[in-house]
Amino acid sequence: MKASERWHSDRLQQDITLVRWGVAGTPVLLFSTAGGDAEEVERHHLVGACGDLLAAGRVKIYSCDGIASRTMMAGDSSPEHRMWLLNQFQQCVRHEIVPAIHADSGGTEQPVIAAGASIGAFNALAVLCRFPEVFSHAICMSGTYDLQPMYDGRFSDELYYSSPLHFLPGLDENGLGPLRQRFAVLASGEGEWEDIGETWRVAHVLGMAGVPNRVDSWGPDFRHDWPTWWQMLPQYLKELVPG
């Protein structure tokens, strides 16, 4: 079963769409790749790859427009505006998307699993680290975690607070306490267009902060592409979601 809703976000200063597949189970917020809309994950068959989990009522999958990533990749606005929009997008996820997911679940404030591939992996890890009160796990596939080069090398407080590579080392024990009860899976192939070095780098930062995580290398036969993620996502959901 598929449903969607759209509203105007004052935080983003534009409309955003949230789509849901499934009727019961653990909520999973699946972020699009760079520039993708809310239905990108369906068009590229990533939702279909989780069909047995959806049919069994183990998960409900949600996806929203990748507004910040789309603007970042387009590069037609200033780096400062693009970094501002990244922070606002994450705030929108916390204060608009997650409440919409909870409302769709009958008001039950069940923790959400964040997941995504490529830039979507960055977003999944970022919201887990920033908002562990509402996210329980992150499934990060083929992630790109250092976004500073995509902002012409610029840096700002907006990027600092949006990027786990940067803000995690600055968190105190109070900030790290809830996060140390969460878990991130960091998966990457080592085939064409993959860079597992980024995965190991962010794993080191998480480890130094005491945040539970695991790096899974899928080896040289898996490249940075949808068929890799078709295999990764259902495997990790089956591991993390109760049967």
Side-chain angles (χ1 to χ4, degrees):
M1 181 183 221
K2 178 180 177 182
S4 65
E5 58 180 308
R6 186 171 178 84
W7 66 88
H8 182 80
S9 168
D10 289 337
R11 291 178 176 83
L12 299 171
Q13 300 178 9
Q14 58 187 289
D15 292 348
I16 189 167
T17 299
L18 178 68
V19 179
R20 181 255 290 156
W21 298 267
V23 295
T26 300
V28 178
L29 179 56
L30 180 54
F31 290 97
S32 64
T33 64
D37 62 12
E39 295 180 298
E40 179 203 50
V41 293
E42 180 182 50
R43 290 194 303 273
H44 288 278
H45 312 295
L46 191 54
V47 172
C50 302
D52 58 341
L53 287 156
L54 290 164
R58 290 179 64 182
V59 298
K60 289 191 294 182
I61 294 177
Y62 297 82
S63 188
C64 61
D65 294 328
I67 289 172
S69 301
R70 184 185 310 154
T71 303
M72 177 183 69
M73 298 303 293
D76 54 3
S77 59
S78 71
E80 288 73 21
H81 172 76
R82 285 178 272 151
M83 288 185 281
W84 170 84
L85 190 60
L86 178 65
N87 187 24
Q88 292 299 108
F89 174 72
Q90 292 178 9
Q91 295 292 339
C92 175
V93 168
R94 171 62 183 91
H95 298 290
E96 298 178 43
I97 298 292
V98 170
I101 291 172
H102 288 161
D104 185 63
S105 301
T108 302
E109 296 188 359
Q110 184 177 1
V112 179
I113 294 175
S118 192
I119 299 297
F122 167 88
N123 284 318
L125 185 63
V127 298
L128 175 75
C129 292
R130 289 191 80 173
F131 312 119
E133 71 276 13
V134 292
F135 289 97
S136 61
H137 301 79
I139 301 171
C140 307
M141 304 175 291
S142 306
T144 297
Y145 300 104
D146 184 2
L147 299 192
Q148 189 173 358
M150 300 181 189
Y151 298 107
D152 304 335
R154 306 282 187 88
F155 196 76
S156 70
D157 284 349
E158 304 281 1
L159 181 56
Y160 174 88
Y161 288 111
S162 304
S163 170
L165 276 177
H166 295 97
F167 74 73
L168 273 177
L171 289 182
D172 60 19
E173 291 299 311
N174 289 332
L176 287 170
L179 187 51
R180 287 172 175 161
Q181 308 304 312
R182 302 309 186 215
F183 182 68
V185 176
L186 309 169
S188 178
E190 297 190 57
E192 193 173 14
W193 308 312
E194 288 280 59
D195 180 6
I196 198 172
E198 287 224 22
T199 298
W200 283 112
R201 181 183 173 193
V202 79
H204 175 73
V205 172
L206 289 165
M208 291 296 291
V211 180
N213 71 94
R214 185 180 83 226
V215 173
D216 285 352
S217 170
W218 283 57
D221 293 334
F222 291 86
R223 64 181 188 170
H224 193 94
D225 203 356
W226 292 98
T228 294
W229 309 326
W230 296 340
Q231 295 192 52
M232 287 179 174
L233 184 60
Q235 174 174 313
Y236 292 125
L237 286 176
K238 288 173 183 176
E239 174 186 333
L240 298 176
V241 174

